[in-house]
Amino acid sequence: MREIETVLHPDWVWTEEGPRSGVSVVLTNEIVQLSSAVDHPRAVRLSGKLLLPGFVNAHSHAFQRAIRGHVQWTRDAASDFWTWRDRMYAAANGLSPEGIEAVSRLAFLEMLEAGFTTVGEFHYLHRQADGTPYADPDELARRVIAAALDVGIRIALLRVVYARGGIDVPLGPTQQRFRTDTPDEALAAVARLASHPDPRVTAGLAPHSVRAVPRDWLSELATFAGPVHAHVSEQPAEVRDTLAATGLTPLALLDAHGLVTDRFTAVHLTHPTPDDLARMRRGGARICVCPTTELDLGDGLLPVEAREGIGLCLGTDSHARIDALEEARSLEMHARALAGRRNVMSPPGDRHGLAERLLRALTVEGARALGLPGGAVRVGAPADLVAIDLDRPAAFGVPPLEAAVFAGTPEWVSDVWVGGQHVVVDGRHPARDRVLAAAAPYLRQVAG
Amino acid sequence: MREIETVLHPDWVWTEEGPRSGVSVVLTNEIVQLSSAVDHPRAVRLSGKLLLPGFVNAHSHAFQRAIRGHVQWTRDAASDFWTWRDRMYAAANGLSPEGIEAVSRLAFLEMLEAGFTTVGEFHYLHRQADGTPYADPDELARRVIAAALDVGIRIALLRVVYARGGIDVPLGPTQQRFRTDTPDEALAAVARLASHPDPRVTAGLAPHSVRAVPRDWLSELATFAGPVHAHVSEQPAEVRDTLAATGLTPLALLDAHGLVTDRFTAVHLTHPTPDDLARMRRGGARICVCPTTELDLGDGLLPVEAREGIGLCLGTDSHARIDALEEARSLEMHARALAGRRNVMSPPGDRHGLAERLLRALTVEGARALGLPGGAVRVGAPADLVAIDLDRPAAFGVPPLEAAVFAGTPEWVSDVWVGGQHVVVDGRHPARDRVLAAAAPYLRQVAG
């Protein structure tokens, strides 16, 4: 990491005290000073721009970028979550290690250009399609990490544990690539990945779901001391089946084995019971909501209203779109649709306004979910920053945070820094053409 | 209108037969030929671009652009649709005729840059704030029309009838600006506006809602022979109050007076009864859905699933955002959220795929709602066209219609033609700076 000092002087900065103007941000690989000396001789003037902490994408399956536009609609009458999954499996099994790396690199580049500086990659491709391990058992995880480092995004590799095809159902022939044979196999892999020499790489553990992980593995997995993520109650069928088999909801089952702690993130939790929410609060756990994917898959809308006191973070999950600000505002907008009223997430007396609350889900809450220190423009935080260009008709006359949060698109992102490195310049990653060209044959292969 | 011939050669064009490549579009003020002679000597090459019919914004209150970002959230505990309306009224009453023109011009410019070539302006500002008529009773309608023509958007002025503050409630002091004293006053105004010499200007009639129009006016209003739009069942309170006062739902009340015909568009209809939907089908009427506004206001989600056989068009309504493709995809995405399944709007056997069905709501269905002939790339249609730039990472490897519909943003719009005039060039309207500068003092005034 370089130690050259950069001074940024945007029109507005969102600090922990709220939006501010007349503030410069001095950075090396971390933020070293917030200064009112706006005439600093080396200041880079970010005219018309709002500087925010880099966005955190807390739930990603990077390879699924390959099926964008091919699965949003099918002529199949029964098209639902499970038929979508079949098509996704076909892509998962068809890609070579090189293909997984190339498609992941494209997804990460698109994330950076959309303002994400960190990705939590929920990684479940471990073996060859027939279940044979690679010579290096971490081959595919290392491919994904290499893709991230190549384009310069911070990555938390959430190593998935996947051992069966459903409750008391063995893995099917299309699920062999995901296979983990023992809890130890997963814990050892996480330990190896966590020792990566690049400080932008960290690792966590991801029991895929209570569908995919045997009950008698859960207590051993709960010994892991880092961040733990799991898909929980995305579909009503999962809740029904788990209740029938165990008498517990998926979340209660995880909690019974000690997994629901302040290091735990429940991905989706679209269909929680009141008891589930009480357990989440008690454990200090977080929910990772993936609004655009949940809409696309017909999962339903999250009852945000019931989730007071539980931290929310965000993910672009299947990458049907990669639009950080759309995910953020959807939290409140979907909550309004369910509640039939406005101002759901920022009740009266809230220290944060609504725009700030939604930005927190996209930044500091996401960082916490991944066990990372960032997510704020604060001295000592990593210099992960995004500049939003508000010099456009859609933002004209609109307060800066509200413009970005309620109307912003990925194209409003002009510049991005990760650990002080200027990775997106004027809306463009310098490796764009190379990354697209390398992904092209694999996208064609998946499109069939 | 000019008669100079232009030849456009995009990579893809969406015709009535589906997406096509290798087709040039020859146009004057209308489309005169679809040609496979791609090497036409005067062809303008639109490389990497998808050419679509111009989008139709079938429901707009242009002046509400002034309150964007100031009303998405308040610290008021009771913040709901009705408190939002109070703040909107304050803006409506505070703007001078010049201010209304300047803010409308900004909204129309933003629409053009987002690919809208036609706006249905549901116009309810008629008088001075205290109810005194202007010397020209059409003063404010003419201001809005002038704003549209200045930036070059086609406008259907839907002249609103507003005569009371609620069922059996007189107009309040903040509603005097909207006042119409007799049905004749409205019908005469529509007739005057419809005779505008510019062919881009048409007019229709808009009984605001059954809240705002006396029952004994409805039969006379039903004598109008052009397009009729009304707000219907946006909020549960409206349905409840109308049922209590009349024994009928708002839609049934309009139908009982002969208003629900194939020239009728029900705006919102978020809370319909099965009988409402049967009446809509019987009359051949359409629903104008305004997804982003309905989310913002906490109206609820439309039960699209129940609306088979009823045409859907789209509007950006309050202009919390102006994003045509987001409105379009929201139709299906919200339908999925309610239905708990995928593929709601494009069932098996549908001749159109889902992307085409959503694009139809944004084009030909909107044109029909406004009584206009456009909305398709077809010989003889007005040359209202929008080019979508797919040369970007987010669209890479994605089929063109699916890329635009499921991931597109306003910034993907590169060029726009209205009646053959090239009004947006490379993502920018040439009058942008002038239009923003003229709106600035009024936006500051409204922000307070």
Side-chain angles (χ1 to χ4, degrees):
Chain A
M1 291 289 137
R2 74 215 186 92
E3 292 296 333
I4 297 167
E5 197 174 89
T6 303
V7 182
L8 304 178
H9 180 54
D11 278 7
W12 307 274
V13 188
W14 180 52
T15 71
E16 292 180 298
E17 283 74 45
R20 294 285 177 269
S21 55
V23 172
S24 292
V25 178
V26 184
L27 50 105
T28 56
N29 63 335
E30 61 181 42
I31 296 169
V32 295
Q33 195 189 347
L34 300 183
S35 160
S36 58
V38 299
D39 55 352
H40 193 289
R42 288 198 313 282
V44 178
R45 182 80 180 91
L46 300 171
S47 181
K49 288 171 187 163
L50 164 67
L51 194 68
L52 299 173
F55 305 146
V56 178
N57 196 347
H59 190 67
S60 160
H61 307 291
F63 81 89
Q64 292 182 17
R65 169 60 182 82
I67 55 175
R68 176 183 298 169
H70 300 285
V71 293
Q72 269 55 59
W73 173 77
T74 64
R75 290 188 191 272
D76 173 2
S79 179
D80 62 11
F81 176 84
W82 307 103
T83 56
W84 167 84
R85 200 181 69 163
D86 289 343
R87 300 202 50 176
M88 182 272 284
Y89 279 7
N93 286 318
L95 287 168
S96 65
E98 294 74 16
I100 290 167
E101 183 170 343
V103 173
S104 298
R105 199 190 292 114
L106 170 63
F108 296 148
L109 175 128
E110 192 182 336
M111 287 180 205
L112 283 168
E113 290 191 351
F116 285 113
T117 53
T118 299
V119 61
E121 178 65 20
F122 198 100
H123 176 75
Y124 57 92
L125 306 181
H126 303 313
R127 298 175 177 231
Q128 300 179 51
D130 67 357
T132 308
Y134 288 99
D136 173 359
D138 305 327
E139 170 75 22
L140 297 183
R142 294 195 189 281
R143 292 280 185 171
V144 171
I145 290 169
L149 294 180
D150 182 7
V151 293
I153 197 168
R154 200 179 289 281
I155 186 169
L157 198 293
L158 303 167
R159 203 278 185 190
V160 170
V161 188
Y162 204 113
R164 49 180 204 185
I167 295 172
D168 302 321
V169 176
L171 282 179
T174 58
Q175 297 172 316
Q176 294 299 320
R177 194 164 211 182
F178 320 153
R179 208 174 89 204
T180 297
D181 287 335
T182 65
D184 268 357
E185 180 188 337
L187 291 166
V190 179
R192 289 191 301 269
L193 296 167
S195 71
H196 197 285
D198 193 299
R200 293 170 296 180
V201 179
T202 55
L205 184 69
H208 177 277
S209 61
V210 297
R211 285 183 280 120
V213 179
R215 263 158 287 173
D216 56 3
W217 291 23
L218 295 176
S219 295
E220 185 169 350
L221 295 176
T223 63
F224 179 69
V228 177
H229 286 223
H231 293 127
V232 187
S233 298
E234 178 173 7
Q235 290 282 326
E238 176 195 336
V239 181
R240 203 167 49 233
D241 295 351
T242 310
L243 271 169
T246 70
L248 296 172
T249 64
L251 195 278
L253 182 60
L254 294 168
D255 192 31
H257 291 86
L259 280 155
V260 181
T261 71
D262 61 359
R263 291 175 290 101
F264 181 69
T265 298
V267 180
H268 306 303
L269 202 62
T270 309
H271 305 280
T273 64
D275 175 67
D276 288 344
L277 297 170
R279 288 171 186 270
M280 290 289 290
R281 279 189 203 94
R282 205 152 55 225
R286 249 157 276 93
I287 301 171
C288 182
V289 194
C290 307
T292 65
T293 293
E294 290 155 6
L295 283 183
D296 182 36
L297 295 183
D299 289 345
L301 295 182
L302 62 153
V304 164
E305 195 173 21
R307 287 175 182 179
E308 212 178 306
I310 301 174
L312 300 177
C313 60
L314 292 158
T316 64
D317 193 353
S318 70
H319 312 308
R321 301 160 70 187
I322 295 178
D323 184 338
L325 296 162
E326 177 66 21
E327 302 291 350
R329 61 184 161 250
S330 290
L331 276 184
E332 169 73 11
M333 294 301 159
H334 294 177
R336 291 182 184 192
L338 279 190
R341 63 182 179 88
R342 309 180 81 215
N343 267 22
V344 177
M345 287 186 59
S346 185
D350 185 14
R351 184 166 74 86
H352 304 288
L354 177 58
E356 290 189 77
R357 191 148 290 280
L358 296 173
L359 282 174
R360 287 173 63 83
L362 205 51
T363 54
V364 66
E365 294 289 344
R368 281 183 193 159
L370 299 174
L372 297 173
V377 179
R378 181 187 59 226
V379 171
D384 295 358
L385 296 162
V386 53
I388 307 289
D389 184 1
L390 300 178
D391 184 14
R392 56 185 69 245
F396 191 69
V398 185
L401 286 192
E402 280 73 13
V405 172
F406 296 116
T409 72
E411 289 78 15
W412 294 27
V413 170
S414 73
D415 294 83
V416 177
W417 294 262
V418 178
Q421 293 194 327
H422 195 173
V423 290
V424 173
V425 181
D426 261 346
R428 199 180 171 98
H429 192 291
R432 192 198 269 187
D433 292 342
R434 169 175 67 83
V435 169
L436 268 59
Y442 304 105
L443 297 179
R444 277 196 298 271
Q445 172 201 326
V446 168
Chain B
M1 289 288 141
R2 75 217 186 91
E3 292 296 333
I4 298 166
E5 201 175 84
T6 303
V7 181
L8 304 178
H9 180 53
D11 279 7
W12 307 273
V13 56
W14 180 52
T15 72
E16 292 180 297
E17 284 73 47
R20 293 286 176 271
S21 54
V23 171
S24 290
V25 179
V26 185
L27 52 104
T28 56
N29 63 333
E30 61 181 41
I31 296 169
V32 296
Q33 195 190 346
L34 300 183
S35 161
S36 57
V38 301
D39 54 353
H40 193 291
R42 289 196 314 282
V44 178
R45 183 80 180 91
L46 299 172
S47 180
K49 288 171 188 163
L50 164 67
L51 195 68
L52 299 173
F55 304 147
V56 177
N57 196 347
H59 190 67
S60 159
H61 306 291
F63 81 90
Q64 293 182 17
R65 169 61 181 80
I67 55 175
R68 176 183 299 168
H70 299 285
V71 293
Q72 269 56 58
W73 173 77
T74 64
R75 289 189 192 273
D76 173 2
S79 179
D80 61 11
F81 176 84
W82 308 102
T83 56
W84 167 84
R85 201 181 68 162
D86 289 343
R87 300 201 50 176
M88 182 271 284
Y89 279 7
N93 287 318
L95 287 169
S96 64
E98 294 75 17
I100 290 167
E101 182 170 344
V103 173
S104 298
R105 199 191 291 115
L106 170 63
F108 296 148
L109 175 129
E110 192 182 336
M111 286 180 205
L112 283 168
E113 291 191 351
F116 285 112
T117 53
T118 300
V119 60
E121 179 64 21
F122 199 99
H123 176 74
Y124 57 91
L125 305 181
H126 303 314
R127 299 174 177 231
Q128 298 179 52
D130 66 357
T132 309
Y134 288 100
D136 173 358
D138 305 326
E139 171 73 22
L140 297 183
R142 294 196 188 281
R143 292 280 186 172
V144 171
I145 290 168
L149 294 179
D150 182 7
V151 292
I153 197 169
R154 199 180 290 281
I155 185 169
L157 197 292
L158 303 166
R159 203 278 185 190
V160 170
V161 188
Y162 203 113
R164 49 180 204 184
I167 295 172
D168 303 322
V169 177
L171 282 179
T174 58
Q175 299 172 317
Q176 295 299 320
R177 194 164 211 182
F178 319 154
R179 208 174 90 206
T180 297
D181 286 336
T182 65
D184 269 357
E185 181 187 337
L187 291 166
V190 178
R192 289 190 302 270
L193 295 167
S195 71
H196 196 285
D198 192 300
R200 292 170 297 180
V201 180
T202 55
L205 184 69
H208 178 277
S209 60
V210 297
R211 285 183 279 119
V213 178
R215 263 158 287 172
D216 55 3
W217 291 22
L218 295 176
S219 296
E220 187 170 349
L221 295 176
T223 63
F224 178 69
V228 177
H229 286 222
H231 294 127
V232 186
S233 298
E234 178 173 7
Q235 289 282 326
E238 178 196 335
V239 182
R240 203 165 52 232
D241 295 352
T242 309
L243 270 169
T246 70
L248 297 172
T249 64
L251 195 278
L253 182 59
L254 294 168
D255 191 31
H257 290 87
L259 280 155
V260 181
T261 71
D262 61 0
R263 291 173 291 100
F264 181 68
T265 299
V267 180
H268 305 305
L269 201 64
T270 310
H271 304 281
T273 64
D275 176 65
D276 289 345
L277 297 170
R279 289 172 186 271
M280 291 288 290
R281 278 190 203 94
R282 206 152 54 224
R286 249 158 275 94
I287 301 170
C288 183
V289 194
C290 307
T292 64
T293 293
E294 290 156 4
L295 283 183
D296 181 36
L297 295 183
D299 289 344
L301 294 183
L302 60 153
V304 164
E305 194 172 21
R307 288 176 181 177
E308 211 178 309
I310 301 174
L312 300 177
C313 60
L314 292 159
T316 63
D317 193 354
S318 69
H319 312 309
R321 301 160 69 185
I322 295 180
D323 184 338
L325 296 162
E326 176 66 20
E327 303 290 352
R329 62 183 160 250
S330 290
L331 277 183
E332 169 73 12
M333 294 302 158
H334 294 177
R336 292 181 184 192
L338 279 190
R341 63 182 179 88
R342 309 181 83 215
N343 268 22
V344 178
M345 287 186 59
S346 186
D350 186 13
R351 183 167 75 85
H352 303 286
L354 178 58
E356 290 189 78
R357 190 148 292 280
L358 297 172
L359 282 174
R360 287 175 62 83
L362 205 50
T363 55
V364 66
E365 295 289 345
R368 282 184 192 157
L370 299 174
L372 297 173
V377 178
R378 180 187 61 225
V379 171
D384 294 358
L385 296 162
V386 53
I388 307 289
D389 185 1
L390 300 179
D391 185 15
R392 56 185 69 246
F396 192 69
V398 185
L401 286 191
E402 281 72 14
V405 171
F406 296 116
T409 72
E411 289 78 15
W412 294 27
V413 169
S414 73
D415 293 82
V416 177
W417 294 262
V418 178
Q421 292 194 327
H422 196 173
V423 290
V424 173
V425 181
D426 260 346
R428 196 178 173 98
H429 192 292
R432 191 197 271 188
D433 292 343
R434 169 176 67 84
V435 169
L436 267 59
Y442 304 105
L443 296 178
R444 278 195 297 273
Q445 172 201 325
V446 168

